[in-house]
Amino acid sequence: MDLPRHHTIREGDLRICNPFTPRKLATLGQVIKLRAGDTLLDLASGRGEMLCTWSRDHGVSGTGVDISTVSTDVARLRATEFGVADKVEFLHGDAGEFVAETPVDVAACIGATGIGGGVPGTVRLLERSLRPGGMLLVGEPFWRREPPDQETIEACHAERRDDWRDLTGLVTVFHELGWDLVEMVLADGDGWDRYAAAHWLNIRRWLDANPDDELAPAFREELTTDPLSYVRYRRNFLGWGVFALLKR
C-alpha cells in the first residue's frame, strides 16, 4: 500500500503538497484560533507540514495518517527537526479507513477528499473522530470560473464539470450536510504558481539524472505540455481553499 513512484518524483522536496504557501498555512492556524493542548487528526497528512508547524507554533498534538511511505518518513523527520516528535505521530496507512480512538478537537482532510469518495463522505468520515463541538477542516478545489468546454475540465484534473463545485456550490454542500462555515482561507495565484512550477523543476532535474528510466518518456511529455495547460486553464479556472466547519 503506497503511492506510485511518479507521484513521489513529481512532488520532490515540496513541503506543502497543495497550492498553499507557508504564510497561508500559518494564517489558517491563526484564524481557527488553535489553543495549546488541542488535539488534531490529519487524514492524508502528506509530509506533515501542517501538523508539525502547528504543534511548534500553537502547542497542539495529534496524528497524521497517509498512504505514502515516503511522505510518512519525511513527516517524522520534520517532527524531529521541529522538536515536536513527542507531540505528533505519523502513521502509514489508509486514511479512508482511519478513526481516532480518542475524539479530537480538530479533524482535517486537506486536499484529499477522495479518501471518502468526495466531500460528503469525507465530512462523515472526519466526524467519526471529532469530539462534540469540535472543528472540521476540509481542503477542496472549486471552479473559479465556469469551464467552457471539456478540454478545460480535463486540464483541471476533472472528468466532468460536476467533479468540482463552484464556491457557492461547495458552501451550499457544507450547509446541506448540517455544518456552519466559520472560516476559510483560499489559495492565491502565487500559491498556485509555487505548487505547479515546483513540479516542473522537480521533473526536469529528475529527467536530467534519469534519462533512461522507464518513466522518462511520460515525464518528458508532461514537462512539455503541463506548463502551457497550467497557465491556460488551471490558473484561471480552478480555485482551492481550506474550509473550517462547526456542526450546526
Side-chain angles (χ1 to χ4, degrees):
M1 181 172 58
D2 210 334
L3 285 180
R5 186 164 64 103
H6 65 79
H7 180 89
T8 301
I9 294 168
R10 187 181 294 107
E11 298 291 349
D13 59 355
L14 277 174
R15 294 296 327 157
I16 301 174
C17 298
N18 57 56
F20 254 18
T21 61
R23 183 185 295 270
K24 290 282 186 177
L25 187 60
T27 296
L28 179 63
Q30 293 163 4
V31 298
I32 65 172
K33 298 179 171 55
L34 290 170
R35 298 166 297 183
D38 280 349
T39 54
L40 190 150
L41 174 66
D42 188 7
L43 296 182
S45 52
R47 291 157 185 219
E49 196 72 359
M50 183 173 76
L51 189 51
C52 288
T53 57
W54 286 0
S55 182
R56 178 195 64 189
D57 297 342
H58 299 282
V60 306
S61 61
T63 300
V65 183
D66 199 271
I67 198 172
S68 169
T69 54
V70 171
S71 292
T72 303
D73 289 343
V74 170
R76 290 168 179 162
L77 290 173
R78 193 65 157 175
T80 298
E81 177 186 346
F82 282 0
V84 297
D86 59 330
K87 293 182 179 179
V88 300
E89 64 174 346
F90 293 96
L91 307 177
H92 173 245
D94 184 355
E97 300 292 332
F98 189 88
V99 177
E101 293 183 3
T102 302
V104 298
D105 297 301
V106 180
C109 178
I110 307 301
T113 58
I115 66 170
V119 170
T122 300
V123 167
R124 289 190 288 268
L125 173 64
L126 291 171
E127 187 177 7
R128 295 173 63 190
S129 295
L130 195 67
R131 69 162 177 81
M135 178 179 289
L136 297 188
L137 298 178
V138 178
E140 180 75 354
F142 58 87
W143 293 116
R144 294 182 61 237
R145 296 162 55 191
E146 185 66 24
D149 50 38
Q150 186 64 23
E151 184 176 3
T152 303
I153 291 168
E154 293 178 4
C156 293
H157 303 311
E159 295 181 2
R160 303 169 303 137
R161 188 272 178 210
D162 292 344
D163 286 348
W164 312 131
R165 301 167 177 86
D166 61 17
L167 189 55
T168 300
L170 187 55
V171 174
T172 299
V173 167
F174 294 144
H175 287 172
E176 290 174 346
L177 292 170
W179 296 81
D180 286 326
L181 177 65
V182 295
E183 260 296 355
M184 66 181 190
V185 179
L186 305 183
D188 57 20
D190 182 58
W192 273 111
D193 293 347
R194 299 284 60 72
Y195 183 52
H199 290 159
W200 308 331
L201 183 57
N202 290 337
I203 290 171
R204 177 53 195 269
R205 296 300 191 211
W206 183 88
L207 282 170
D208 289 346
N210 301 275
D212 299 321
D213 190 280
E214 63 180 358
L215 295 179
F219 271 133
R220 179 65 262 173
E221 175 67 15
E222 181 174 340
L223 188 57
T224 300
T225 60
D226 191 69
L228 183 58
S229 177
Y230 168 72
V231 298
R232 179 178 290 170
Y233 298 113
R234 293 198 302 281
R235 200 180 193 278
N236 296 313
F237 287 91
L238 198 62
W240 193 90
V242 180
F243 304 87
L245 312 173
L246 290 174
K247 189 75 170 182
R248 193 171 304 142

